[in-house]
Amino acid sequence: MVTSPATPPAPSPARSSLAWLPGVAVAALAAAAAWGIHWLAPAVPLLTAAVVLGIVVGQIPAARGALGGVLAPGLAVSAKRLMRIGVVLLGLKLSLGDIAGLGWVAILTTVGIVVFSFAGTFLIGRLFRLPEHQPLLIATGFSICGASAIGAMSGVVKPKDEEAATPVALVTLCGTLAIFVLPLLWHPLGLSGVQFGHWVGGGVHDVGQVVATAQIAGPAALSVAIVVKLTRVLMLAPTVAIAAIVERRRRVEGDPSVKRPAVVPLFVAGFIAAVLIRSFVPLPAAVTDGADTLQTILLAMALFGLGTAVRLRTLLGTGWRALATGLLSWALIAALALGAVWVSAA
């Protein structure tokens, strides 16, 4: 009598619904490790440490099986969903009153930095024939707020993991270089402390990198740098919304049956709502401090997840054009930000 082989039991719904747990747990441990690195070396921004940890783990051959297997669902949740929640909470750092305090010249020049650096970087990426969405992602990250902006834009255009990994690696590299290079140019350029802070806020990518760079010039410089930087962050909402409209139109023209992205993604609406709440609702310090801590944790977990998708061998082997795009964009935005400082001082 021949018996048929036993059919393996189907995974239970409870087990399937918890498939994200191992990856999220690893991302949380990585965020804690990044916090430890930042605590031991305050000059290293916590979010930069989280990205670098992810990149390092992604290069370990023994770890790749787990990264692509049991950890993959949770790392995807961290890199996408937690990133969007972190972006929403980022809005609670910014109020319209802080922006108004800069003065209309500084506001206009800051908007100009974002617009021209975005357009310039996008064109550079196209000239170097970067694939698919990479020019858009690099332009978003360099002109607005680093890896967080890349994650936000990825939520609209849906790039492949490896396609988004290269812009994250580039913005991390160039933002880290800025921490060491810009202070060396502070005095040779004849900038005051406040002007240096303005330059850093306009020209450095990630909020943590801005803090690490500007704090050497004192509290006044740091305060100006943060407000200028967060004014750039506010440009994330219209930039992503416009990209969503373009992507929606592109998908409709390509295949009307394909699901179209929302004109204004939910997390972008949440970001705007958070800014308005911070502007018009008096929030207790405990609430804003708690939201800031939670936002940092979520973004650290998200950036670790994004970092694990980076493959340096691929980047070094085929990514010289992306590296050139990043370095040229870095120089462009630094020059535009310096010009904005001089215009504001005139």
Side-chain angles (χ1 to χ4, degrees):
M1 179 178 179
V2 179
T3 59
S4 59
T7 302
S12 65
R15 182 179 300 176
S16 298
S17 64
L18 294 177
W20 54 268
L21 190 56
V24 170
V26 168
L29 290 173
W35 178 86
I37 293 170
H38 175 66
W39 182 74
L40 292 172
V44 179
L46 191 153
L47 297 184
T48 298
V51 176
V52 173
L53 279 175
I55 293 173
V56 170
V57 171
Q59 312 319 304
I60 301 174
R64 290 179 186 170
L67 293 176
V70 66
L71 299 180
L75 292 176
V77 168
S78 297
K80 296 174 183 177
R81 295 185 184 179
L82 298 188
M83 172 69 77
R84 295 173 191 177
I85 297 172
V87 169
V88 170
L89 293 176
L90 187 60
L92 290 177
K93 285 189 171 189
L94 180 64
S95 75
L96 299 179
D98 293 334
I99 298 175
L102 289 174
W104 69 270
V105 174
I107 293 172
L108 290 178
T109 55
T110 301
V111 173
I113 290 170
V114 174
V115 171
F116 287 108
S117 61
F118 182 95
T121 301
F122 184 81
L123 290 175
I124 292 169
R126 287 298 189 197
L127 288 174
F128 278 105
R129 298 181 180 179
L130 298 186
E132 296 294 330
H133 298 299
Q134 277 194 1
L136 175 63
L137 295 176
I138 294 174
T140 305
F142 275 75
S143 64
I144 301 177
C145 57
S148 302
I150 293 171
M153 185 62 77
S154 297
V156 171
V157 299
K158 309 295 184 184
K160 299 176 182 177
D161 288 344
E162 59 272 18
E163 191 182 343
T166 296
V168 169
L170 289 174
V171 80
T172 302
L173 170 65
C174 292
T176 303
L177 288 175
I179 297 172
F180 302 100
V181 174
L182 266 61
L184 297 177
L185 301 175
W186 172 17
H187 294 299
L189 289 172
L191 301 176
S192 67
V194 171
Q195 288 175 328
F196 176 73
H198 192 161
W199 184 36
V200 171
V204 180
H205 316 308
D206 181 80
V207 176
Q209 294 162 347
V210 167
V211 172
T213 309
Q215 54 86 28
I216 68 168
L222 180 59
S223 177
V224 170
I226 291 174
V227 174
V228 172
K229 175 62 197 173
L230 292 178
T231 303
R232 286 170 57 201
V233 171
L234 188 61
M235 295 291 290
L236 180 63
T239 303
V240 172
I242 292 171
I245 294 171
V246 173
E247 184 71 6
R248 182 185 178 91
R249 182 177 301 171
R250 185 184 69 82
R251 292 190 188 183
V252 170
E253 291 176 351
D255 184 356
S257 65
V258 174
K259 183 180 179 181
R260 295 173 290 179
V263 174
V264 179
L266 184 60
F267 72 92
V268 174
F271 172 82
I272 297 171
V275 173
L276 295 176
I277 290 171
R278 180 61 189 269
S279 300
F280 300 109
V281 178
L283 298 175
V287 172
T288 55
D289 291 345
D292 183 54
T293 300
L294 178 59
Q295 171 251 327
T296 302
I297 293 171
L298 293 176
L299 289 183
M301 294 171 65
L303 294 180
F304 173 80
L306 285 172
T308 60
V310 175
R311 297 293 178 265
L312 291 180
R313 178 176 296 181
T314 302
L315 181 63
L316 295 175
T318 62
W320 69 267
R321 291 173 298 173
L323 180 60
T325 300
L327 292 174
L328 288 173
S329 175
W330 182 44
L332 172 64
I333 193 170
L336 288 171
L338 183 60
V341 172
W342 287 337
V343 168
S344 299

